[in-house]
Amino acid sequence: MAELRIGQGCDSHVLAPGRPLFIGGAEIASKLGAVGHSDGDCLLHALTDAILGALALGDIGMWFPDRDPVLSGIRSTELLARVLESPRTPGFRFVNVDTTLILDAPKISEHREKILASLEKGLRLPAGRIGLKAKTWEGLRFERPLIAASASVLLELL
Ligand code: MG
């Protein structure tokens, strides 16, 4: 029987004016963008951590330290690709992935297809195996606006 591995990850970033907003590798029109050492794509960070967790390979901060100046501003699609292509990463295929975003604005329903298309490309997985859900903070207020994401993956080792 195939060896299955489950993994989960979560991430959050502060949102601020004057920054681009990347979600799942897609650039989304928004007045606020994510503050981060990389492009601040919390959905891809959660997904990358879920993959690393499933494979017991540590976490994204161990692979890509946020004090590394070379990684400043790097796209998270590149971080995900480096994990998928690393010789440290054993061969696997996704059974499915599932994700949840939490943010108040912009409304994700208008950008859903773009985000899913980007995830399909980044994960090399058809959209029928990618869950993308979004919710708001339901009136919760923080010192600064926040975006958060969680991700679960089920992998089959090859
Ligand atoms: Mg992050």
Side-chain angles (χ1 to χ4, degrees), residues 1-7 54 93-95 153-157:
M1 189 184 153
E3 183 175 346
L4 297 175
R5 296 290 188 87
I6 193 168
R93 64 174 154 250
F94 292 104
V95 177
V153 301
L154 187 64
L155 313 180
E156 180 184 1
L157 293 186

Side-chain angles (χ1 to χ4, degrees), residues 11-13 38 40-42 45-46 60:
D11 194 33
S12 58
H13 283 260
S38 67
D41 190 328
C42 73
H45 295 175
I60 195 170

